[in-house]
Amino acid sequence: MIKLDNISKYYYSSNAVVPALKKIQLEFNIGEFVAIIGESGSGKTTLLNIISGVDTYDDGELYYNGEPTSHFDAKDWEEYRKNKIGFVFANNNLIENYSALQNVESSLLIQGIEVHKARQTALDLLDKVGMSDFSGQKVAKLSSGQRQRLTIARALAKNTDIIIADEPTANLDSKTGKQIIELLSKISKHKLILLVTHNYEGVESFVTRKIRIQDGQVVLDIPVEQENPTETAMISISEPTSVPTSEPTSEPTSEPTSETTSEPTSESDIIISTKKNIIPIKSSGSIARRFALMNLTSQRQKSTLLFTFMLLTAIVSFVFLGIIYSNQDDVRTRSYDKSIFYHEDMNRIAVRHSDGAEITKTDMEFFRSAAHVKIADMYDYANDINYYSDTDYKYTYSMSYDHNGVLAEVRTLNFLNEDHFMKSASAIGEDDLRAGVLPTELYEIAVYSENADIIGTTIDYYFTAKNIWGVTQHYFTTCKVTGILKEERDQIYFSEKLCSMLTVGLSKNTYLPLRYDYTVDEKRYKGSAAPIPIIGEGLEYKQIRGTQEFFMTTSLHPIGKAELSVLLHDDYGLTYKTTIYNMEIIPEANEYNSSQFFEFSEQFFNELFPQGSPQASLYIDDYAYMDGVLSVLKEQGYEAISTYSTSAIKYIPEKVKERMSTIYACILILLFLCIFEILIVVSFLCIKSKNFTLLKYMGMDFKTAKKITYYELPTYALAASVVVICTVIADKICGIGYFADLFKYFKIYSIIIYFAYNIFIAIITSFLFNRYLHRKMKKELI
Ligand code: ADP
Ligand code: MG
């Protein structure tokens, strides 16, 4: 079956050619047990290497089953080694951190045998070589004799016709060595065994042929007569088993019984277990997966180290990706312009219907139920109005000449604290009250107080709306406490009516020009103004009242007739309806209110301006969620904007620079981390790559071998990323930590990028390591 025809082999060193084999003529057949002897350096190993396809020959031809092999390419040799040759060497090339069972199993798995079948066959084979008691033992803990038995079991697992044994007993004591030779002879009946030995006496009684090599030439080739080679070789005799069927997968494997002995059983059993022509039923992918899994459990240290490294990368990349994401929105690099939304709050959203319809209770319910929305206030415009309680303002007095030239004391109002903005009662519910009721009437409020007795008492407030009324206007009124808040907070909740009233000119497309027409000293005067309408007390239906200051500054007489035109505008600012009311102006307006306010009777006011609000204010828990909340609102058909991002218009160069350098620094760090991790892990894997060479030698092709790493590393990376994300989520649930803070900025796509980054590194690492492995496997066949 194997024929060497004039085979020569030369080794080339730097300045000489060493002929290792010279014109070898040999032929071997199934059933032979050949002892090859000779001095050290005579060429025995070279001969075996050529027969096993581990090394190439330079001259002549090697025939396998009559077929020449000189045209074989690397892949053909790989197939040849994988399928035709079983190896048993002195340095037994076992995978140290695999168990005995896993070593044999590996060989079967590489052939594509299904997992359960492989396990069973491996157990049987271990039984055959007397190793069943040690199946779970790590190879590193086995004695040299046990290792050699295991090597044989593994060679048998490959189920080849030819077994190459290069000094298999070299490292064994003579007794153990003899057992190994016995074991080999026992299986030689249906195989060709080529055994290189230095101890011919020890094998003489088993072999069928003796070959001596000297200086690369065959100097002796004689048959060795055995009285009854097979019987002699039997160690223990068992009943002949059934004839093997041709369908290996359906074959029942002999269950290892409880009284399994350590003694090898009969040869025929071995033949059955390793029947020829096993059809591989596993793809290289699933084989690789199996090995990846096996490595995970059997190479704890390596797995732990790799995982730890991936975990570190996952943590560091989380932090720096998080910093990038937190800087993604450039809103912080722009300065805030208060002209549209006076109340500067990063977490505020202004929301309305696209058709301008009023916000309803249903809308409010939806807003409140939306994720991340903490507060929903139906009256958005009022949220830009400052209110001042007694600690927020102060009067100062000075002497000054009034408009009549009389020296008089002048009182000046100073607003000290502009931090308080109105909120309407719609932003709270009955649940928020400890006592009393929600404010409903115009001047009612809900406040926090330790003392519930303040219900029914009154508090004075000033209001300013600098972007709406201008900087000089303020409104003054006295409010009555109706509700006490449960939670301690600064915020005062005003009635919806008051919020509506103070913003009414804004919320409706209404414009109120007021034309005066009055007579003083028989002279007619005319004037006009654009008043800010408010509700005044004690007015009849169509009476209006201007503020004292207004009449003072305009020098107009406070009594007379007035024509009020109410102009309704469309969305483009065009007037589409004008209604003219004949009004009567009466004096004595509230002295505290400054300029341009005109008081209307409540009835007339409500007729002109229906209550309600076309725009609500929402406050979310963090600006990081702004985009998410806005898109949810937009999906529901609302128009929604971040008041902050809309008002932050002008870029601040230093902040822009700062943001860009932060982003660049993070990108650089991530790049560096990527390179660093790849270098470290690839180096680490290269150091630990011996197992791969062994797997290759056990018949695994490179295609499968590289898949192992492609499964292993990305799985670690994925697991590490999942661990980080889960930890962060746990952190978020249990209390706010630094990670959870960054996690706010992670959206679905950022999580995908995060995973991709980590898995990408793992894939690149696998790729680079596999390139190294490819070179290494090519170079060292064994
Ligand atoms: P044996 O196994 O009989 O001890 P080998 O087959 O290993 O002998 O070696 C035969 C000859 O070939 C020796 O002279 C050895 O030095 C030489 N040789 C073996 N392998 C190589 C090699 N890879 N490179 C160069 N010379 C080698
Ligand atoms: Mg040798």
Side-chain angles (χ1 to χ4, degrees), residues 11-12 18-20 38-47 55 166-167:
Y11 284 116
Y12 302 91
V18 184
E39 303 276 296
S40 201
S42 57
K44 306 180 295 294
T45 297
T46 309
L47 177 67
D55 216 338
D166 194 350
E167 305 189 36

Side-chain angles (χ1 to χ4, degrees), residues 563-577:
E563 254 181 19
L564 177 73
S565 320
V566 178
L567 277 60
L568 295 176
H569 300 290
D570 60 15
D571 286 345
Y572 307 101
L574 299 172
T575 308
Y576 71 90
K577 192 181 168 194

Side-chain angles (χ1 to χ4, degrees), residues 89-213:
F89 286 167
N91 66 338
N92 26 47
N93 279 335
L94 292 160
I95 300 178
E96 296 286 319
N97 36 31
Y98 278 13
S99 68
L101 179 67
Q102 282 175 325
N103 265 278
V104 182
E105 222 180 334
S106 300
S107 186
L108 293 159
L109 289 170
I110 288 169
Q111 295 167 61
I113 291 166
E114 189 266 327
V115 176
H116 296 285
K117 174 89 182 160
R119 168 64 48 102
Q120 201 44 251
T121 310
L123 283 168
D124 287 348
L125 286 167
L126 286 176
D127 189 28
K128 304 303 181 260
V129 299
M131 286 287 292
S132 51
D133 288 351
F134 302 94
S135 65
Q137 189 91 268
K138 283 259 159 94
V139 167
K141 288 185 181 156
L142 293 178
S143 74
S144 43
Q146 287 167 333
R147 282 158 166 265
Q148 207 52 286
R149 281 166 189 266
L150 189 57
T151 319
I152 294 170
R154 199 182 55 184
L156 288 174
K158 266 179 82 174
N159 189 32
T160 54
D161 286 335
I162 304 166
I163 288 187
I164 300 284
D166 194 350
E167 305 189 36
T169 59
N171 302 330
L172 305 180
D173 61 61
S174 59
K175 184 165 164 269
T176 322
K178 187 157 180 269
Q179 285 174 358
I180 295 299
I181 298 299
E182 281 172 354
L183 191 58
L184 282 173
S185 99
K186 201 165 63 67
I187 59 173
S188 69
K189 197 179 170 191
H190 296 287
K191 291 187 188 294
L192 164 64
I193 298 191
L194 300 176
L195 169 75
V196 167
T197 182
H198 276 113
N199 173 19
Y200 181 67
E201 289 74 43
V203 304
E204 191 170 18
S205 54
F206 300 102
V207 296
T208 62
R209 186 171 165 185
K210 176 186 183 182
I211 291 176
R212 177 185 288 281
I213 310 267

